Amino acid sequence: MLARQVHSDQLLEQARDHPHLNILAKAGAASRDSHANIFAGRYETEGIPKHELPQDGLSEEASYHLLNNELELDGKPALNLASFVHTSLPEWGERLVKDHQYVNIVDQDEYPQTLAIHGRCISQLAALWHAPKEKDSNGEWKQAFGTATTGSSEAIMLGGLAMKKRWQQKRQAEGKPWRGLGNVVYGSNAQVAIEKFARYFDLEERLVPVSKESHYRMDPKKAIEMVDEETIGVIVILGSTYTGHYEPVEEMHSLLDDLQKRTGLDVPIHVDGASGGMVAPFAHPNLKWDFQLPRVVSINTSGHKFGMTQVGLGWVIFRSPDVVPKELVFELHYLGSVEYSFGLNFSRPAAPVLAQAFRFLSLGFNGYKDVMDFDLKNARLLSRALELSGKYEVLSDIHRPASKVAAAGTAVGALDDDDAENYEAGLPVVAFRFSEDFRQKHPHIQQKWIQTLLRVEGLIVPNYNLSPDASDVEVLRVVVRETVTEQLVELLFTKIMEKTEQLEKTDSPEAGLALLGAHAKANQAEHKKKAHHQGKHAHRPTGHGVKATGYSKQC
């Protein structure tokens, strides 16, 4: 997260000019450039510098209380229904993490048992994702390997870098140009980490359009049209950040097989399983998306999402050692023994890895399955309730009977059917919007007001536009995690309906705000129309600035 240096003098000058802050100052408020706190000790009357180091430090207790009081102003993680990050760790897990919070996992010689635990986590994930045990030409076993990372962003970049380097080596061996070339194909619904990988490592981004027909995810039939000899690989997302949909990895795999038969192009797949990598194996064990498909050379996931660890942990697993060029692995000799490093970061805390090992041991396969079934059940409950209200339509599909089941005419997918495999596969995510009927009856009501009104209640539910190809579609989204109980679903649904009905009533304060917003929107449109007729020269010509592509927007 980027943060600017704060210039106190400038901020103070701005504060003096702001009428509301000026009133506070006249009323006797402390300087905006310093802390004022009852735990501040000797600084109680003179304030504690905010943007420079205090000349003398506070006591540990005073420092704790000052920062803790400030953090109390944040939202409650359990009510942050926007986040994929799980926000709880059991008491014994917290104790394990606390006892080893100062261990630097990169120092393999000093902490061999920590390294062994890390290795076991890699093995457990590889087995969960059906990594094959293959023999090389010398008859030696080629087993999957991987590493912990700082979240899925680093994991995606490592998987992508391995694909890029393999592509470059192959081009060099064939005597073909490779410098400054290479493209990567993925859906425009990608999370920002994939865009970062492409931009940071000089690859052309080939964004596959999404649509209602493709369920707002990458369409493999359109993706295959973008693949050529300069494609380093295709990144397929198992769990869209926008709507929770899984992209069809097996279909993409089949189309790439067909492409190789026709053209000779051998294009690998990296699966971004940041969320789905720890949901699909338990909720839909028969779904083919992982190393069962030979073109899948690497998979990443986030331990701190549905892996249920603390924040700051990602994993990347490679099919076998030969898919990672040796030039990406560094041999180190200065920590006391020969060690090997493959990562964008070096030092990192061992605590998140230990938290993952704790979760694997304490939950096991069936424990994770219970959690995912629980999450999906509550997500289906909320989805059905929203659709039954008539005021909302749900874009996510996890509450709908599975296609193959529906085609067979089997009577499943009913309200009392809790088997996730009888429903469409996807994350426990509910993406919804005003229904067509509601939008026609109340065109002046802006959906973003629901986000604002829920936030007043302490419930954080984001409202946003889908990726560029479907940017006219605006959705609200709820991520159902372990902490989102049936009671919380009940509270959330009740509040959503309350706020929606209040916006419908012409005499309610909420309706007044909505009408005010509608008038402001109309005035803006009229202003733009007048400016257009007054002359186009008042605007910058087309081509200035960088066009936003996917999930992220340019600064």
Side-chain angles (χ1 to χ4, degrees), residues 24-294:
L24 277 177
K26 290 179 179 178
S31 165
R32 270 75 60 186
D33 199 38
S34 62
H35 293 283
N37 191 285
I38 60 172
F39 300 102
R42 63 186 176 282
Y43 279 107
E44 185 175 353
T45 55
E46 60 188 85
I48 306 161
K50 283 185 180 179
H51 310 300
E52 299 174 1
L53 288 174
Q55 192 66 35
D56 296 303
L58 303 178
S59 70
E60 286 88 349
E61 181 184 2
S63 300
Y64 165 82
H65 284 296
L66 189 151
L67 293 173
N68 190 59
N69 283 0
E70 187 173 353
L71 291 170
E72 288 294 326
L73 301 176
D74 281 343
K76 293 182 178 180
L79 298 182
N80 181 3
L81 305 176
S83 177
F84 286 83
V85 175
H86 274 61
T87 52
S88 64
L89 196 62
E91 177 186 353
W92 287 101
E94 294 279 7
R95 182 170 175 175
L96 178 70
V97 165
K98 184 177 180 181
D99 288 349
H100 301 276
Q101 61 184 319
Y102 300 115
V103 173
N104 185 357
I105 199 169
V106 77
D107 197 341
Q108 301 168 20
D109 186 61
E110 185 70 22
Y111 308 110
Q113 291 309 122
T114 303
L115 183 64
I117 292 171
H118 171 273
R120 292 202 297 271
C121 289
I122 296 294
S123 296
Q124 289 166 322
L125 284 169
L128 184 66
W129 296 336
H130 301 99
K133 293 183 178 180
E134 304 169 328
K135 288 186 177 181
D136 59 20
S137 56
N138 298 320
E140 296 182 1
W141 289 104
K142 299 190 300 180
Q143 295 181 322
F145 85 111
T147 184
T149 61
T150 306
S152 269
S153 292
E154 183 186 6
I156 287 170
M157 292 187 194
L158 294 181
L161 272 176
M163 290 196 300
K164 178 179 179 179
K165 289 296 181 182
R166 285 200 311 276
W167 178 83
Q168 289 179 330
Q169 289 177 349
K170 183 179 178 182
R171 297 278 289 188
Q172 283 180 284
E174 295 171 347
K176 296 179 180 179
W178 59 274
R179 292 185 184 277
L181 300 175
N183 66 70
V184 60
V185 176
Y186 58 91
S188 66
N189 57 311
Q191 206 264 0
V192 67
I194 301 178
E195 290 196 55
K196 281 185 174 181
F197 159 67
R199 295 182 194 175
Y200 289 178
F201 294 100
D202 296 323
L203 289 165
E204 178 192 350
E205 301 170 71
R206 294 193 173 174
L207 301 181
V208 184
V210 303
S211 64
K212 182 178 180 179
E213 292 70 31
S214 71
H215 299 275
Y216 306 103
R217 62 186 181 180
M218 180 183 75
D219 182 347
K221 294 181 181 64
K222 292 181 179 179
I224 200 68
E225 296 173 358
M226 298 184 177
V227 175
D228 59 24
E229 65 174 351
E230 292 184 7
T231 301
I232 68 162
V234 178
I235 298 179
V236 187
I237 304 168
L238 196 74
S240 169
T241 304
Y242 287 94
T243 59
H245 285 101
Y246 291 163
E247 294 184 339
V249 187
E250 189 174 14
E251 182 183 353
M252 189 74 250
H253 186 278
S254 297
L255 291 173
L256 288 172
D257 277 351
D258 178 67
L259 180 70
Q260 185 173 11
K261 290 177 183 176
R262 292 185 287 107
T263 66
L265 293 177
D266 184 9
V267 179
I269 293 174
H270 172 85
V271 176
D272 174 16
S275 293
M278 290 302 294
V279 177
F282 308 106
H284 291 87
N286 296 317
L287 182 69
K288 283 192 176 181
W289 64 273
D290 56 17
F291 292 122
Q292 293 178 84
L293 304 172

Side-chain angles (χ1 to χ4, degrees), residues 293-511:
L293 304 172
R295 288 189 186 278
V296 175
V297 293
S298 51
I299 302 171
N300 70 275
T301 196
S302 293
H304 60 240
K305 292 180 180 175
F306 290 94
M308 301 170 61
T309 69
Q310 61 179 185
V311 178
L313 180 66
W315 297 97
V316 60
I317 310 294
F318 295 91
R319 183 180 198 87
S320 62
D322 57 2
V323 302
V324 178
K326 293 182 179 179
E327 64 190 278
L328 294 178
V329 181
F330 290 82
E331 185 177 297
L332 311 175
H333 296 268
Y334 52 78
L335 292 177
S337 65
V338 178
E339 299 175 2
Y340 298 92
S341 174
F342 177 40
L344 302 181
N345 294 308
F346 192 58
S347 293
R348 61 165 51 91
V353 173
L354 299 178
Q356 186 74 86
F358 171 84
R359 282 294 200 181
F360 283 170
L361 280 172
S362 62
L363 287 174
F365 185 93
N366 289 334
Y368 270 104
K369 178 175 174 52
D370 288 344
V371 171
M372 302 315 152
D373 285 344
F374 175 84
D375 291 352
L376 286 163
K377 178 181 178 180
N378 285 334
R380 291 195 298 268
L381 174 64
L382 178 59
S383 299
R384 290 176 182 137
L386 288 165
E387 288 194 334
L388 287 170
S389 74
K391 301 181 189 298
Y392 289 93
E393 61 179 280
V394 178
L395 279 66
S396 44
D397 291 318
I398 48 140
H399 62 300
R400 309 188 202 284
S403 300
K404 60 183 179 181
V405 172
T410 309
V412 296
L415 294 178
D416 59 350
D417 182 5
D418 292 337
D419 188 347
E421 287 209 84
N422 289 329
Y423 298 90
E424 289 293 333
L427 299 179
V429 166
V430 183
F432 58 104
R433 65 187 299 215
F434 285 149
S435 65
E436 179 66 28
D437 181 65
F438 185 91
R439 294 197 300 273
Q440 288 183 359
K441 289 180 179 177
H442 309 285
H444 65 287
I445 296 180
Q446 299 180 48
Q447 189 172 285
K448 64 183 180 181
W449 280 102
I450 299 295
Q451 171 185 313
T452 305
L453 294 172
L454 289 175
R455 185 61 186 262
V456 172
E457 301 283 349
L459 296 163
I460 303 173
V461 177
N463 181 82
Y464 55 90
N465 297 92
L466 296 185
S467 58
D469 310 294
S471 59
D472 59 324
V473 178
E474 194 177 8
V475 299
L476 293 148
R477 187 197 68 203
V478 171
V479 181
V480 179
R481 308 184 303 270
E482 185 189 22
T483 53
V484 182
T485 62
E486 187 171 321
Q487 290 74 24
L488 180 51
V489 169
E490 180 181 335
L491 171 66
L492 174 64
F493 176 69
T494 302
K495 291 298 181 183
I496 290 173
M497 298 313 299
E498 279 181 7
K499 303 308 176 187
T500 308
E501 290 169 356
Q502 287 167 356
L503 287 171
E504 290 179 286
K505 294 178 181 178
T506 56
D507 59 347
S508 71
E510 289 80 6

